[in-house]
């Protein structure tokens, strides 16, 4: 275990933003993670768990407590079961699963961050979500003071949500188990229309695993969604807002606003979201509200490659980023009557 005081947190995040932590503990084993959590809890010290830092917005004043950086390592493959330590780099784990000929997470290639963060957010992209393959999550239960194993069902996954996100003070993820599929070197059925078009196949078709992964990486890179220190479009948290899910009445009101603003022939994006609900596109809303690619004149701007990513152009502060986010939220609400919700976790700040 490694301990630093008054430690910078910005370098541990993909935004490269935020002030220092009063204390930064780097834990390389599950036992060290648990010891650090217990020490913080026993002393009443606020605790911030940091994995890959790809989903964090930390305030400029930093964090008055213990920041726990989980740097555990471990990959175990038993048949079609893949077990990852929480600190494993997620994109590396996807590459390993593809190399092993196992399907189920290949379209989640290139997503920055750690394996332990994936169940918290129910990470998803290009037609796949980790909830479809997570069989168990091993976590330290801070309330019970013990290590527990939760089934995928007990994780209460939904769109970009889980029991871990709903009650963030309770569990610290230690390990994640995935149940993948041996499809003879082929991918899971391609579900996302953009991916299918790029692959030249129909939705529902399977393709070679490596081809699926490489295609997703190209699509992500084209949107600035693959980390590159030289490209400020990737100094972000990826998608900053979740796609809104609307009930029937809400969607009808939304459609009316769209036609009033954009014309009678314009239909907003709509995807089935269960129980009479529909999901629409946050990126579409942002663009049609007037916030196009590259929007902004300050050190925090919308990505030049994707309207859903807010970026640090190199010398932004967290307040610069939040000012831009608030402007976008207000503009979309005024245009379409929908309030966007941030996807990254806010530490010491809020919209």
């Amino acid at each position: 275990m490694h301990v630093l005081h008054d430690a910078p947190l910005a370098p541990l995040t993909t935004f490269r933003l935020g002030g220092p932590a009063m204390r930064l503990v780097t834990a390389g084993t599950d036992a060290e993670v648990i010891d650090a959590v217990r020490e913080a809890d026993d002393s009443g010290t606020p605790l911030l768990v940091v994995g890959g830092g790809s989903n964090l917005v930390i305030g400029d004043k930093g964090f008055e407590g213990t920041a726990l950086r989980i740097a555990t390592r471990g990959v175990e493959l038993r048949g079609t079961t893949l077990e990852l330590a929480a600190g494993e780099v997620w994109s590396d784990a996807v590459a390993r699963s593809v190399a092993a000929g196992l399907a189920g997470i290949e379209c989640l290639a290139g997503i920055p961050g750690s394996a332990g963060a994936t169940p918290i957010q129910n990470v998803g992209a290009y037609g796949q979500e980790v909830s479809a393959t997570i069989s168990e999550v091993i976590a330290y239960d801070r309330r019970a003071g013990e290590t527990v194993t939760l089934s995928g069902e007990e994780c209460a996954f939904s769109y970009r949500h889980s029991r871990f996100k709903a009650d963030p003070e309770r569990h610290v993820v230690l390990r994640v188990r995935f149940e993948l599929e041996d499809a003879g070197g082929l991918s899971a059925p391609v579900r996302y229309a953009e991916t299918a078009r790029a692959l030249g196949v129909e939705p529902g078709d399977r393709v070679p695993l490596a081809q699926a992964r490489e295609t997703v990486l190209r699509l992500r890179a084209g949107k600035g969604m693959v980390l590159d220190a030289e490209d400020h479009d990737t100094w972000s948290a990826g998608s900053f807002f979740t796609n809104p899910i609307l009930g029937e009445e809400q969607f009808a009101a939304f459609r009316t606003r769209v036609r009033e603003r954009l014309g009678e022939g314009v239909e907003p994006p709509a995807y089935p979201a269960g129980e009479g609900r529909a999901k629409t596109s946050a990126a579409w809303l942002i663009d049609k509200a007037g916030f196009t690619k590259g929007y902004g004149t300050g050190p925090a701007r919308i990505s030049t490659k994707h309207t859903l990513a807010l970026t640090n152009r190199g010398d932004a502060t967290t307040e610069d980023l939040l000012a831009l986010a608030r402007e976008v939220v207000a503009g979309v609400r005024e245009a379409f009557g929908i309030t966007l919700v941030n996807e990254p976790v806010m530490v010491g700040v809020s919209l």
Side-chain angles (χ1 to χ4, degrees):
M1 189 183 298
H2 188 249
V3 180
L4 291 173
H5 296 276
D6 195 30
L9 292 178
L12 303 183
T13 74
T14 53
F15 264 125
R16 295 166 171 82
L17 294 176
M22 183 176 72
R23 184 168 177 262
L24 172 64
V25 176
T26 299
T29 68
D30 288 355
E32 289 180 352
V33 171
I34 293 170
D35 286 347
V37 174
R38 283 176 172 164
E39 181 182 349
D41 289 347
D42 290 346
S43 63
T45 303
L47 180 69
L48 170 65
V49 178
V50 180
S54 61
N55 203 44
L56 284 178
V57 176
I58 299 173
D60 292 317
K61 293 182 179 179
F63 184 67
E64 287 293 320
T66 295
L68 171 59
R69 185 184 184 193
I70 298 182
T72 54
R73 292 292 182 266
V75 178
E76 187 175 354
L77 187 59
R78 302 181 301 276
T80 57
T81 301
L82 175 67
E83 180 174 316
L84 301 173
E88 281 291 330
V89 176
W90 174 251
S91 57
D92 292 347
V94 174
R96 283 173 179 259
S97 73
V98 170
L102 297 177
I105 57 175
E106 61 279 357
C107 290
L108 303 179
I111 294 176
S114 62
T118 60
I120 296 171
Q121 191 77 2
N122 185 16
V123 164
Y126 294 97
Q128 289 182 345
E129 289 183 333
V130 293
S131 57
T133 51
I134 288 178
S135 58
E136 291 179 323
V137 174
I138 298 90
Y140 177 68
D141 186 334
R142 297 168 67 183
R143 197 170 300 161
E146 63 184 14
T147 300
V148 297
T149 299
L150 303 170
S151 68
E153 186 175 87
E154 289 173 312
C155 293
F157 291 121
S158 59
Y159 173 63
R160 300 298 176 268
H161 202 69
S162 69
R163 71 178 297 168
F164 309 109
K165 191 172 181 180
D167 190 1
E169 303 299 319
R170 179 161 184 179
H171 294 100
V172 176
V173 175
L174 301 174
R175 296 183 172 272
V176 188
R177 292 187 183 127
F178 298 84
E179 190 58 40
L180 304 177
E181 178 189 6
D182 184 350
L186 296 179
S187 69
V190 176
R191 302 295 184 196
Y192 200 66
E194 183 184 12
T195 314
R197 286 195 300 270
L199 287 163
V201 301
E202 294 296 320
D205 288 349
R206 295 177 184 261
V207 299
L209 275 165
Q211 185 183 2
R213 175 177 173 270
E214 290 161 6
T215 298
V216 166
L217 286 173
R218 284 198 301 273
L219 291 171
R220 290 185 65 85
K223 299 174 184 178
M225 297 291 185
V226 177
L227 292 181
D228 179 352
E230 302 302 316
D231 182 1
H232 286 291
D233 278 331
T234 74
W235 289 33
S236 75
S239 299
F240 195 88
F241 300 104
T242 57
N243 290 320
I245 296 177
L246 309 174
E248 290 182 9
E249 291 185 6
Q250 290 175 302
F251 199 89
F254 167 48
R255 181 183 282 118
T256 298
R257 294 284 287 268
V258 168
R259 290 173 176 172
E260 289 173 351
R261 182 181 179 88
L262 302 176
E264 282 296 324
V266 178
E267 281 291 331
Y271 310 95
E275 300 176 358
R277 301 184 301 169
K279 179 169 65 176
T280 194
S281 166
W284 187 92
L285 289 168
I286 293 167
D287 181 71
K288 298 305 181 186
F291 303 99
T292 53
K293 295 174 184 176
Y295 178 88
T297 58
R301 303 178 196 173
I302 291 178
S303 166
T304 66
K305 300 181 180 74
H306 194 359
T307 54
L308 201 48
L310 308 188
T311 68
N312 170 11
R313 306 316 293 185
D315 56 357
T317 65
T318 301
E319 280 305 312
D320 292 328
L321 175 74
L322 294 175
L324 175 62
R326 290 170 185 141
E327 183 183 0
V328 171
V329 169
V332 169
R333 185 189 299 119
E334 181 180 355
F336 300 113
I338 292 175
T339 300
L340 294 176
V341 176
N342 55 281
E343 187 168 322
V345 175
M346 301 284 178
V347 179
V349 292
S350 65
L351 290 185

